Amino acid sequence: MKRFLVVLTILGMSFLSLPVMAISEIQENVIKNHCETIKDSLKAVQRTDARARVYLGGYYEAILSKFIMPLNVRLVENNLSNADLVENQNKFVETKNLFANDFVKYQQMLEELLAMDCKNEPEKFYEKLVVVRQRRKIMDQDVLKLRSLISEHIKLVYGLEGKL
């Protein structure tokens, strides 16, 4: 249990973004002494994130190809085109692509972090960990934006339904 708490402390408790500062001697020793445990935890996060990316990628693609696009195509075919729905679709596609690109960058940086020698270079390891946390936060923001666009699309559809 103590080892788990140490790992959580080093990982920054759920990848909180903090400015990079020189690590303390205590942090340096913890990183050196628990290097393999930290890397194992990061590998578990990597696997979980990869599964989440596959799930979310499929989910967003299904929403786009089975709901958003067919509705807009049908509206255009019936001369009922709605500029707000088309704009929302474009934003959704753009954000979905951004999410995919940000995830690839995040995974590459995480791979680089896992390849580092945290026993001999704990400061560099920690600095890279902070950067990886920031990339992960960017990816999380993409997910929030996509959720917001889905909610907005639903509101627009209900608004359109009220006009018809």
Side-chain angles (χ1 to χ4, degrees):
M1 182 66 174
K2 184 178 180 182
R3 182 177 264 182
F4 180 72
L5 292 174
V6 169
V7 170
L8 280 180
T9 302
I10 294 300
L11 292 177
M13 295 199 272
S14 301
F15 289 93
L16 296 174
S17 292
L18 300 171
V20 179
M21 296 185 283
I23 62 175
S24 69
E25 188 177 323
I26 294 171
Q27 288 174 312
E28 185 175 329
N29 288 332
V30 170
I31 291 172
K32 286 179 179 178
N33 294 334
H34 299 285
C35 182
E36 292 306 314
T37 305
I38 293 168
K39 283 189 172 189
D40 288 342
S41 296
L42 288 169
K43 287 175 187 175
V45 168
Q46 183 182 38
R47 285 188 302 273
T48 302
D49 285 349
R51 283 192 296 268
R53 164 61 179 97
V54 169
Y55 170 77
L56 289 173
Y59 175 72
Y60 297 141
E61 186 59 36
I63 287 173
L64 183 62
S65 65
K66 294 182 180 181
F67 179 66
I68 295 175
M69 290 175 66
L71 176 63
N72 284 340
V73 168
R74 184 81 183 244
L75 290 171
V76 168
E77 288 173 351
N78 291 306
N79 295 322
L80 298 171
S81 183
N82 184 305
D84 292 335
L85 286 170
V86 172
E87 182 181 341
N88 195 43
Q89 174 183 327
N90 292 337
K91 287 180 184 176
F92 189 85
V93 169
E94 183 181 308
T95 306
K96 185 174 97 45
N97 292 337
L98 184 63
F99 167 70
N101 292 335
D102 286 342
F103 183 83
V104 169
K105 289 175 189 173
Y106 160 71
Q107 281 289 21
Q108 288 171 342
M109 294 183 95
L110 185 55
E111 282 293 326
E112 291 171 10
L113 177 66
L114 289 169
M116 292 180 76
D117 183 3
C118 52
K119 286 183 181 179
N120 294 321
E121 298 179 312
E123 284 189 29
K124 285 185 179 180
F125 182 83
Y126 184 77
E127 288 172 8
K128 185 71 168 186
L129 177 62
V130 170
V131 173
V132 170
R133 288 176 184 160
Q134 292 167 344
R135 293 300 316 172
R136 191 170 196 263
K137 188 170 186 156
I138 290 169
M139 197 177 62
D140 289 341
Q141 291 169 348
D142 293 342
V143 169
L144 292 175
K145 176 74 174 167
L146 285 164
R147 287 180 184 171
S148 172
L149 290 168
I150 292 168
S151 296
E152 179 64 24
H153 197 81
I154 291 169
K155 289 176 189 174
L156 290 169
V157 169
Y158 281 130
L160 179 66
E161 183 182 50
K163 292 178 185 177
L164 297 178

